[in-house]
Amino acid sequence: MLRQLSHELTIATRHRGLHEFTQEVEAWVGRNQFKEGLLTIHLQHTSASLLIQENASPDVRRDLEAFFKRLVPDGDPLFEHTLEGDDDMPAHIRTALTTVNLGIPVRQGRLALGTWQGIYLWEHRKAAMRRKIIVTLTGEP
Amino acid sequence: MLRQLSHELTIATRHRGLHEFTQEVEAWVGRNQFKEGLLTIHLQHTSASLLIQENASPDVRRDLEAFFKRLVPDGDPLFEHTLEGDDDMPAHIRTALTTVNLGIPVRQGRLALGTWQGIYLWEHRKAAMRRKIIVTLTGEP
Amino acid sequence: MLRQLSHELTIATRHRGLHEFTQEVEAWVGRNQFKEGLLTIHLQHTSASLLIQENASPDVRRDLEAFFKRLVPDGDPLFEHTLEGDDDMPAHIRTALTTVNLGIPVRQGRLALGTWQGIYLWEHRKAAMRRKIIVTLTGEP
C-alpha cells in the first residue's frame, strides 16, 4: 500500500554558487526504508534554484556560474527592482531560467540518479542565506 | 490511505505577461480538505509557461518580462517558424527556457509555498488566449 | 486504491537535437491500464534534457536548436571544462536551462497532453548517445 511522508531541510548557503545536498536527501530516504517511490523536492524561495547537475568536475560548476553571470549581469541598467542590491533581480531571473521543483524516482531503496547526477541548491544571492526545502516521498515502504 | 484527485482550470489571459493564479489553486486544495499531499500542475500549451515567482513587487514581473523580451527578441531573423506572427517562435523558446510542470507540497491543508512565492501562468503570446491547466493532488484526505 | 509502477526506457540518440518519444510513453501507460494518475519522467543524464514542445512543425525544432546554439556557443572561450570537446560544457548549460524531470497527468487511461504537446529527449551532445529514462506512474488502476 502506498504511503507518503514529508520532511523539511534547511540549508545554510555561504555565497552564490552550487551547494550539493544529495547526501542529506539520500540519508532521509534511507532512514525511511521506502523500497520504491517518487521523491519530490520543493525550494521555498524565489532567488535560489534546485538543479540536478554533474557532480564530478568542479569546473562544470564554475563554468555554469560564469555563464549565468554573463547571461544575467548584476547591476544591468534594464532592471527597476534593485531594492536589495545589484544581485536582487538577477537572482529572480536565474531562478526563472532554472527551477524550484524536482522529482526523482526511488528504486530498491535508493535515489535513481544517473552516475554523474548530484542534487544542488543553486544560491543566486551573493550573501549567506538560510534556504528551506521540503522533500516528499510517495511510494511503497 | 492515499487518494488522488484531479481538476481542470481554464485561465483567460489578456496579453503577454505574468498572471497569478495562486488563489484558484489554493481554493481547490481547500475545498478538497487534504491534510498532507503533493499538488502537481500541468499546463497543456507550448507557448505559455508555469512559474513560481515573487508575488510582492510588481517591478519583479516587469523586469522578468523585459529580460525575456531582450533575450528572445520578437521578429528575430534567426527564426523560420513565423506562421502566427513575430511572437510565435519566441513564445516557444520562452516556454522551453522555463517549464509547463510544477510540483508543490501540501501541508496542514495548505500549499507549502514560501512567504514570497506565488504561482503564475506566464503568457508568452501578445494576444488574449484561453489556457488549460490540470491540477492533481496526491495525498491524505 | 492507489498503486505505483515504474519502468526504464533507453533511447539511442543519433545526433544533437529533439527526439520525440511520446508514443513509447503512451504505449507503456496504455499497457498498464491506469485510468487516472500522474506520470513522472526522469532522465539520468546531465548533458541532455526532457522537454514538452510543439509536435506539429519541424521548423519549431530547428529554431529551438538554432536559438540554443547561438545562446550557448560551442567552444566559447569562457569555458574551462572542455574535456570531452567543444560541445561538452554547452551540453551541461543547455540542460541547466531546461530540465531533466517532467510530470504529466493521466486521464481516462491516456496522457493528458495538450493538442500540440509532444514529449522530447533533447540531446545536447553532437555524437550518438544511449540515454536512460525512468517513468513512474502513480494512480488508480
Side-chain angles (χ1 to χ4, degrees):
Chain A
M1 198 160 80
L2 292 191
R3 284 182 57 219
Q4 196 175 56
L5 280 180
S6 74
H7 178 63
E8 196 174 312
L9 295 174
T10 302
I11 297 187
T13 62
R14 297 202 182 178
H15 48 73
R16 187 179 263 182
L18 290 157
H19 299 69
E20 187 166 12
F21 66 106
T22 316
Q23 289 193 331
E24 283 90 326
V25 175
E26 190 83 79
W28 179 73
V29 170
R31 275 199 300 281
N32 288 296
Q33 300 184 309
F34 274 57
K35 281 184 304 240
E36 305 290 321
L38 177 73
L39 180 88
T40 50
I41 312 181
H42 176 70
L43 175 67
Q44 291 187 310
H45 302 274
T46 63
S47 56
S49 313
L50 297 177
L51 189 72
I52 292 178
Q53 257 298 336
E54 227 260 27
N55 63 359
S57 308
D59 51 5
V60 171
R61 270 107 70 193
R62 278 198 299 274
D63 286 353
L64 275 167
E65 188 54 51
F67 181 85
F68 272 70
K69 201 172 158 66
R70 189 178 69 186
L71 184 67
V72 194
D74 290 333
D76 191 316
L78 184 71
F79 304 139
E80 284 179 52
H81 181 80
T82 54
L83 202 67
E84 296 183 31
D86 69 351
D87 61 334
D88 185 349
M89 196 58 219
H92 291 299
I93 291 173
R94 290 159 62 129
T95 302
L97 286 168
T98 50
T99 188
V100 295
N101 297 152
L102 297 174
I104 300 161
V106 171
R107 305 189 95 184
Q108 293 151 10
R110 305 211 46 188
L111 291 176
L113 290 167
T115 315
W116 310 109
Q117 288 185 322
I119 308 172
Y120 292 88
L121 169 65
W122 196 345
E123 178 59 62
H124 298 307
R125 300 300 311 272
K126 291 189 280 189
M129 306 291 278
R130 289 181 71 76
R131 302 301 198 175
K132 277 196 251 170
I133 288 170
I134 296 175
V135 290
T136 305
L137 187 45
T138 306
E140 299 270 355
Chain B
M1 196 161 78
L2 292 191
R3 282 182 58 219
Q4 195 176 57
L5 279 181
S6 73
H7 178 62
E8 196 174 312
L9 296 174
T10 301
I11 297 188
T13 61
R14 297 198 183 182
H15 49 72
R16 187 178 262 182
L18 290 157
H19 298 68
E20 188 166 11
F21 67 105
T22 315
Q23 289 191 331
E24 283 90 326
V25 175
E26 189 84 78
W28 180 73
V29 170
R31 275 200 300 282
N32 288 295
Q33 301 183 306
F34 274 58
K35 281 184 304 241
E36 305 291 321
L38 178 73
L39 181 87
T40 50
I41 314 182
H42 176 70
L43 175 67
Q44 291 186 309
H45 302 273
T46 63
S47 55
S49 314
L50 297 176
L51 190 72
I52 293 177
Q53 259 297 337
E54 227 260 25
N55 63 359
S57 308
D59 51 3
V60 171
R61 271 107 70 193
R62 278 198 299 273
D63 287 353
L64 275 167
E65 188 54 51
F67 181 84
F68 271 70
K69 201 172 158 65
R70 189 178 68 183
L71 184 66
V72 194
D74 290 332
D76 191 316
L78 184 70
F79 304 140
E80 284 178 53
H81 181 79
T82 55
L83 203 68
E84 296 183 29
D86 69 351
D87 62 334
D88 184 350
M89 196 58 219
H92 291 299
I93 291 173
R94 288 158 63 130
T95 302
L97 286 168
T98 49
T99 190
V100 296
N101 297 152
L102 297 175
I104 301 161
V106 172
R107 304 188 94 183
Q108 293 150 10
R110 305 212 47 191
L111 290 175
L113 289 167
T115 315
W116 310 107
Q117 288 186 322
I119 308 172
Y120 292 88
L121 170 64
W122 196 347
E123 178 60 62
H124 299 306
R125 300 300 310 272
K126 291 189 280 190
M129 306 291 278
R130 291 181 69 78
R131 301 301 196 175
K132 277 196 250 171
I133 288 169
I134 297 175
V135 290
T136 305
L137 188 45
T138 307
E140 299 270 356
Chain C
M1 197 161 77
L2 293 190
R3 282 182 58 219
Q4 195 175 56
L5 279 181
S6 74
H7 178 63
E8 195 174 312
L9 295 175
T10 301
I11 298 188
T13 61
R14 297 202 184 177
H15 47 72
R16 187 180 263 181
L18 290 157
H19 299 67
E20 188 166 10
F21 66 105
T22 316
Q23 289 192 331
E24 284 91 326
V25 175
E26 189 84 78
W28 179 74
V29 170
R31 275 200 300 282
N32 288 296
Q33 300 183 306
F34 274 58
K35 281 184 304 236
E36 305 290 320
L38 178 73
L39 180 87
T40 51
I41 312 181
H42 176 69
L43 174 68
Q44 291 187 309
H45 302 274
T46 63
S47 54
S49 312
L50 297 177
L51 189 73
I52 292 177
Q53 258 298 336
E54 228 258 26
N55 63 359
S57 308
D59 51 3
V60 171
R61 270 106 72 194
R62 277 197 300 273
D63 287 354
L64 276 167
E65 188 54 51
F67 181 84
F68 272 70
K69 201 173 158 66
R70 189 178 68 186
L71 184 66
V72 194
D74 291 332
D76 191 316
L78 184 70
F79 305 139
E80 283 178 53
H81 181 81
T82 55
L83 202 66
E84 296 184 29
D86 68 352
D87 61 334
D88 184 351
M89 196 58 220
H92 291 300
I93 291 172
R94 290 159 62 132
T95 302
L97 286 169
T98 49
T99 188
V100 295
N101 297 151
L102 297 175
I104 302 161
V106 172
R107 305 188 95 184
Q108 293 150 11
R110 303 212 47 190
L111 291 176
L113 290 167
T115 313
W116 311 108
Q117 288 185 321
I119 309 172
Y120 292 88
L121 169 64
W122 196 346
E123 178 60 61
H124 298 306
R125 300 302 309 273
K126 291 189 280 189
M129 307 292 277
R130 289 181 70 76
R131 302 301 198 175
K132 278 196 250 170
I133 288 170
I134 297 174
V135 290
T136 304
L137 188 46
T138 306
E140 299 271 353

